[in-house]
Amino acid sequence: MQENVASESGRGTVPTGRSSSLVPFLFGVAQRPELPGTVLTRLLGDFGLTEAAARALLLRMRQEGKLESVRRGRGVGYRLTGEYGRRFDRIRQGAGDPQPTWTGSFHALVYRVPESRRAFRDGLRRAAVHLGYGLLQQGVLVNLQDRSGELDLLAEPPEDVRVFVARLEMSEPDAARAALLAWDLDDLADLYAGHVRTLDAAVRAQPTPPEPGPETLRRYAELLRAPMVDTLRAPRLPATLLPPDWPLPALWQAIQRVQQVFAGPSVAYVAGQVDAATP
């Protein structure tokens, strides 16, 4: 069971395993590449983290390469970095990223990893998925682009691991069936459609912007954190390889409707916290 981190003020609780996703969300609301540590700590407090828990979270994220710190006089500023920084940039690009065209083949990584190297196999799979690969079947990862050079694990794999870079040529109908399997597109479509229903219901219940404040910021995060992170699971595929009525465009439209209501007051509140901390 996940432990909750909460403050004595009862302002809400955030599961510790999920609280790290609040940090890039707060950067997005602040619309700044760098935030003072005091501001991040204070804003995380609005979500129920104690000061000690917030500082521990920032330290852990820095140790994991998700944040970098910059000395600013007597204080410290933070920037998103590494995979977190790249994912944040992808979310900011959002629906504006143009769809590619089908060229007749997938790039593939074909690997054989003994069970004794299970940790390597799981790490390779996880890193590849972050780069947009889908798992076509056990031992076969596919992508439209060759991004094998970005997989650090392949620089010096164990001696008993075999990895081959290949191309899988397919007709467009076969490629669509392969994409459905590799990226679980049916399940992803159901997930996105559920997010659209939830966000649209929230906008119907709150059609006008609320007052700036921590409650508004918390509600904004509650509505958008999961949907925006889940957009990262969508592969960049040609429209012809996607299922009919693919709901990702509708999800981005629903996200924009939520932003029209909650973004303004949330940005104003966070900007006030930044200004108050600026000498």
Side-chain angles (χ1 to χ4, degrees), residues 109-115 118 121-122 125 134-141:
L109 289 176
V110 182
Y111 59 91
R112 188 182 70 178
V113 181
E115 189 60 27
R118 182 175 181 179
R121 182 193 65 202
D122 293 347
R125 222 189 264 172
L135 183 65
L136 182 58
Q137 66 176 50
Q138 182 62 36
V140 181
L141 290 158

Side-chain angles (χ1 to χ4, degrees), residues 64-92:
E64 293 173 350
K66 298 173 181 177
L67 285 176
E68 64 178 4
S69 59
V70 182
R71 177 61 62 179
R72 300 297 183 197
R74 294 184 178 181
V76 175
Y78 287 95
R79 292 174 175 264
L80 294 171
T81 189
E83 182 59 31
Y84 250 48
R86 289 189 289 271
R87 294 175 71 186
F88 177 70
D89 289 340
R90 285 176 57 195
I91 288 176
R92 292 189 68 181

Side-chain angles (χ1 to χ4, degrees), residues 2-278:
Q2 270 188 322
E3 180 185 359
N4 286 338
V5 177
S7 67
E8 295 178 358
S9 63
R11 288 174 292 182
T13 60
V14 179
T16 56
R18 300 179 184 176
S19 54
S20 60
S21 67
L22 279 172
V23 175
F25 174 81
L26 292 172
F27 272 93
V29 176
Q31 301 176 355
R32 294 167 178 257
E34 182 179 317
L35 283 174
T38 54
V39 171
L40 278 173
T41 300
R42 192 171 193 177
L43 292 173
L44 288 169
D46 288 334
F47 290 88
L49 274 72
T50 64
E51 182 176 348
R55 291 183 183 277
L57 171 64
L58 298 178
L59 175 61
R60 175 167 59 82
M61 292 181 67
R62 186 163 60 84
Q63 292 171 338
E64 293 173 350
K66 298 173 181 177
L67 285 176
E68 64 178 4
S69 59
V70 182
R71 177 61 62 179
R72 300 297 183 197
R74 294 184 178 181
V76 175
Y78 287 95
R79 292 174 175 264
L80 294 171
T81 189
E83 182 59 31
Y84 250 48
R86 289 189 289 271
R87 294 175 71 186
F88 177 70
D89 289 340
R90 285 176 57 195
I91 288 176
R92 292 189 68 181
Q93 290 173 1
D97 207 10
Q99 283 186 303
T101 57
W102 176 242
T103 60
S105 64
F106 285 113
H107 159 71
L109 289 176
V110 182
Y111 59 91
R112 188 182 70 178
V113 181
E115 189 60 27
S116 60
R117 301 289 187 181
R118 182 175 181 179
F120 177 90
R121 182 193 65 202
D122 293 347
L124 175 63
R125 222 189 264 172
R126 185 165 52 249
V129 167
H130 283 161
L131 291 174
Y133 284 84
L135 183 65
L136 182 58
Q137 66 176 50
Q138 182 62 36
V140 181
L141 290 158
V142 293
N143 202 345
L144 283 189
Q145 296 177 299
D146 180 356
R147 303 191 66 181
S148 57
E150 300 174 57
L151 290 167
D152 295 338
L153 284 172
L154 296 183
E156 295 184 11
E159 291 184 359
D160 51 354
V161 168
R162 297 291 180 268
V163 181
F164 303 95
V165 178
R167 304 289 310 184
L168 292 180
E169 294 187 2
M170 296 185 189
S171 66
E172 196 166 68
D174 283 346
R177 287 190 285 269
L180 196 71
L181 295 174
W183 285 278
D184 295 323
L185 295 183
D186 280 343
D187 289 344
L188 208 52
D190 289 341
L191 177 65
Y192 291 163
H195 283 322
V196 170
R197 290 191 294 270
T198 298
L199 298 183
D200 283 348
V203 171
R204 286 194 298 270
Q206 176 72 55
T208 58
E211 290 297 315
E215 290 185 4
T216 296
L217 180 65
R218 286 196 295 270
R219 180 59 173 156
Y220 190 35
E222 177 188 8
L223 290 172
L224 286 197
R225 259 200 311 161
M228 295 194 78
V229 170
D230 284 340
T231 64
L232 293 171
R233 297 173 55 186
R236 287 188 67 251
L237 294 174
T240 52
L241 301 192
L242 295 170
D245 301 321
W246 177 239
L248 182 59
L251 175 55
W252 278 116
Q253 292 170 5
I255 287 172
Q256 290 171 358
R257 288 191 287 271
V258 169
Q259 290 172 331
Q260 288 170 359
V261 175
F262 290 93
S266 296
V267 169
Y269 172 67
V270 170
Q273 299 301 306
V274 174
D275 291 343
T278 303

